[in-house]
PDB file of all heavy atoms in Angstrom:
ATOM      1  N   ARG B 230     131.856 132.971  91.749  1.00 86.00           N
ATOM      2  CA  ARG B 230     132.477 133.926  92.659  1.00 86.00           C
ATOM      3  C   ARG B 230     133.461 134.851  91.941  1.00 86.00           C
ATOM      4  O   ARG B 230     133.547 136.031  92.256  1.00 86.00           O
ATOM      5  CB  ARG B 230     133.195 133.151  93.762  1.00 86.00           C
ATOM      6  CG  ARG B 230     133.706 134.019  94.854  1.00 86.00           C
ATOM      7  CD  ARG B 230     134.399 133.209  95.898  1.00 86.00           C
ATOM      8  NE  ARG B 230     135.566 132.510  95.354  1.00 86.00           N
ATOM      9  CZ  ARG B 230     136.366 131.739  96.077  1.00 86.00           C
ATOM     10  NH1 ARG B 230     136.106 131.542  97.338  1.00 86.00           N
ATOM     11  NH2 ARG B 230     137.409 131.145  95.552  1.00 86.00           N
ATOM     12  N   ASP B 231     134.186 134.304  91.001  1.00 85.00           N
ATOM     13  CA  ASP B 231     135.216 135.110  90.353  1.00 85.00           C
ATOM     14  C   ASP B 231     134.783 135.642  88.997  1.00 85.00           C
ATOM     15  O   ASP B 231     135.623 136.122  88.228  1.00 85.00           O
ATOM     16  CB  ASP B 231     136.495 134.290  90.225  1.00 85.00           C
ATOM     17  CG  ASP B 231     137.072 133.986  91.593  1.00 85.00           C
ATOM     18  OD1 ASP B 231     137.011 134.876  92.456  1.00 85.00           O
ATOM     19  OD2 ASP B 231     137.534 132.850  91.809  1.00 85.00           O
ATOM     20  N   ARG B 232     133.509 135.512  88.677  1.00 88.00           N
ATOM     21  CA  ARG B 232     133.043 136.090  87.417  1.00 88.00           C
ATOM     22  C   ARG B 232     133.036 137.605  87.507  1.00 88.00           C
ATOM     23  O   ARG B 232     132.945 138.173  88.593  1.00 88.00           O
ATOM     24  CB  ARG B 232     131.616 135.592  87.118  1.00 88.00           C
ATOM     25  CG  ARG B 232     131.525 134.116  86.897  1.00 88.00           C
ATOM     26  CD  ARG B 232     131.220 133.795  85.449  1.00 88.00           C
ATOM     27  NE  ARG B 232     131.423 132.379  85.194  1.00 88.00           N
ATOM     28  CZ  ARG B 232     130.435 131.503  85.030  1.00 88.00           C
ATOM     29  NH1 ARG B 232     129.188 131.933  85.072  1.00 88.00           N
ATOM     30  NH2 ARG B 232     130.691 130.248  84.800  1.00 88.00           N
ATOM     31  N   ASP B 233     133.039 138.230  86.339  1.00 89.00           N
ATOM     32  CA  ASP B 233     133.148 139.693  86.310  1.00 89.00           C
ATOM     33  C   ASP B 233     131.991 140.383  87.004  1.00 89.00           C
ATOM     34  O   ASP B 233     132.170 141.384  87.691  1.00 89.00           O
ATOM     35  CB  ASP B 233     133.223 140.174  84.852  1.00 89.00           C
ATOM     36  CG  ASP B 233     134.584 139.866  84.276  1.00 89.00           C
ATOM     37  OD1 ASP B 233     135.508 139.623  85.086  1.00 89.00           O
ATOM     38  OD2 ASP B 233     134.734 139.849  83.042  1.00 89.00           O
ATOM     39  N   TYR B 234     130.769 139.832  86.828  1.00 90.00           N
ATOM     40  CA  TYR B 234     129.626 140.554  87.388  1.00 90.00           C
ATOM     41  C   TYR B 234     129.674 140.593  88.908  1.00 90.00           C
ATOM     42  O   TYR B 234     129.248 141.560  89.531  1.00 90.00           O
ATOM     43  CB  TYR B 234     128.310 139.980  86.869  1.00 90.00           C
ATOM     44  CG  TYR B 234     127.869 138.672  87.462  1.00 90.00           C
ATOM     45  CD1 TYR B 234     126.985 138.648  88.528  1.00 90.00           C
ATOM     46  CD2 TYR B 234     128.327 137.465  86.964  1.00 90.00           C
ATOM     47  CE1 TYR B 234     126.568 137.454  89.071  1.00 90.00           C
ATOM     48  CE2 TYR B 234     127.926 136.279  87.500  1.00 90.00           C
ATOM     49  CZ  TYR B 234     127.041 136.262  88.559  1.00 90.00           C
ATOM     50  OH  TYR B 234     126.647 135.088  89.095  1.00 90.00           O
ATOM     51  N   VAL B 235     130.220 139.527  89.493  1.00 88.00           N
ATOM     52  CA  VAL B 235     130.335 139.520  90.949  1.00 88.00           C
ATOM     53  C   VAL B 235     131.431 140.494  91.387  1.00 88.00           C
ATOM     54  O   VAL B 235     131.282 141.244  92.351  1.00 88.00           O
ATOM     55  CB  VAL B 235     130.626 138.094  91.451  1.00 88.00           C
ATOM     56  CG1 VAL B 235     130.873 138.101  92.948  1.00 88.00           C
ATOM     57  CG2 VAL B 235     129.457 137.191  91.125  1.00 88.00           C
ATOM     58  N   ARG B 236     132.533 140.499  90.637  1.00 89.00           N
ATOM     59  CA  ARG B 236     133.606 141.442  90.973  1.00 89.00           C
ATOM     60  C   ARG B 236     133.122 142.876  90.856  1.00 89.00           C
ATOM     61  O   ARG B 236     133.448 143.724  91.694  1.00 89.00           O
ATOM     62  CB  ARG B 236     134.767 141.247  90.013  1.00 89.00           C
ATOM     63  CG  ARG B 236     135.511 139.979  90.306  1.00 89.00           C
ATOM     64  CD  ARG B 236     136.682 139.856  89.393  1.00 89.00           C
ATOM     65  NE  ARG B 236     137.365 138.619  89.653  1.00 89.00           N
ATOM     66  CZ  ARG B 236     138.589 138.390  89.271  1.00 89.00           C
ATOM     67  NH1 ARG B 236     139.239 139.313  88.591  1.00 89.00           N
ATOM     68  NH2 ARG B 236     139.156 137.243  89.545  1.00 89.00           N
ATOM     69  N   ALA B 237     132.339 143.124  89.807  1.00 91.00           N
ATOM     70  CA  ALA B 237     131.826 144.481  89.609  1.00 91.00           C
ATOM     71  C   ALA B 237     130.959 144.883  90.793  1.00 91.00           C
ATOM     72  O   ALA B 237     131.092 145.987  91.335  1.00 91.00           O
ATOM     73  CB  ALA B 237     131.025 144.557  88.319  1.00 91.00           C
ATOM     74  N   ALA B 238     130.085 143.943  91.218  1.00 90.00           N
ATOM     75  CA  ALA B 238     129.214 144.249  92.349  1.00 90.00           C
ATOM     76  C   ALA B 238     130.049 144.546  93.582  1.00 90.00           C
ATOM     77  O   ALA B 238     129.774 145.485  94.331  1.00 90.00           O
ATOM     78  CB  ALA B 238     128.277 143.073  92.606  1.00 90.00           C
ATOM     79  N   ARG B 239     131.105 143.738  93.773  1.00 87.00           N
ATOM     80  CA  ARG B 239     131.936 143.932  94.955  1.00 87.00           C
ATOM     81  C   ARG B 239     132.638 145.290  94.885  1.00 87.00           C
ATOM     82  O   ARG B 239     132.751 145.997  95.877  1.00 87.00           O
ATOM     83  CB  ARG B 239     132.957 142.800  95.050  1.00 87.00           C
ATOM     84  CG  ARG B 239     133.295 142.462  96.470  1.00 87.00           C
ATOM     85  CD  ARG B 239     134.231 141.289  96.540  1.00 87.00           C
ATOM     86  NE  ARG B 239     133.588 140.040  96.177  1.00 87.00           N
ATOM     87  CZ  ARG B 239     134.219 139.049  95.563  1.00 87.00           C
ATOM     88  NH1 ARG B 239     135.480 139.161  95.213  1.00 87.00           N
ATOM     89  NH2 ARG B 239     133.572 137.944  95.276  1.00 87.00           N
ATOM     90  N   ALA B 240     133.096 145.646  93.675  1.00 90.00           N
ATOM     91  CA  ALA B 240     133.797 146.924  93.522  1.00 90.00           C
ATOM     92  C   ALA B 240     132.864 148.094  93.816  1.00 90.00           C
ATOM     93  O   ALA B 240     133.293 149.129  94.318  1.00 90.00           O
ATOM     94  CB  ALA B 240     134.348 147.042  92.102  1.00 90.00           C
ATOM     95  N   LEU B 241     131.594 147.881  93.527  1.00 91.00           N
ATOM     96  CA  LEU B 241     130.625 148.951  93.800  1.00 91.00           C
ATOM     97  C   LEU B 241     130.233 149.000  95.269  1.00 91.00           C
ATOM     98  O   LEU B 241     129.423 149.819  95.662  1.00 91.00           O
ATOM     99  CB  LEU B 241     129.370 148.748  92.950  1.00 91.00           C
ATOM    100  CG  LEU B 241     129.538 149.061  91.468  1.00 91.00           C
ATOM    101  CD1 LEU B 241     128.320 148.610  90.696  1.00 91.00           C
ATOM    102  CD2 LEU B 241     129.764 150.544  91.268  1.00 91.00           C
ATOM    103  N   GLY B 242     130.782 148.096  96.049  1.00 88.00           N
ATOM    104  CA  GLY B 242     130.515 148.133  97.481  1.00 88.00           C
ATOM    105  C   GLY B 242     129.258 147.403  97.904  1.00 88.00           C
ATOM    106  O   GLY B 242     128.715 147.664  98.974  1.00 88.00           O
ATOM    107  N   VAL B 243     128.763 146.485  97.077  1.00 88.00           N
ATOM    108  CA  VAL B 243     127.590 145.704  97.462  1.00 88.00           C
ATOM    109  C   VAL B 243     127.999 144.719  98.558  1.00 88.00           C
ATOM    110  O   VAL B 243     129.078 144.132  98.497  1.00 88.00           O
ATOM    111  CB  VAL B 243     127.029 144.946  96.240  1.00 88.00           C
ATOM    112  CG1 VAL B 243     125.816 144.139  96.627  1.00 88.00           C
ATOM    113  CG2 VAL B 243     126.700 145.914  95.130  1.00 88.00           C
TER     114      VAL B 243
END
Side-chain angles (χ1 to χ4, degrees):
Chain B
R230 188 180 62 179
D231 294 321
R232 296 250 168 106
D233 286 342
Y234 76 95
V235 175
R236 287 183 182 198
R239 212 176 289 147
L241 287 171
V243 180

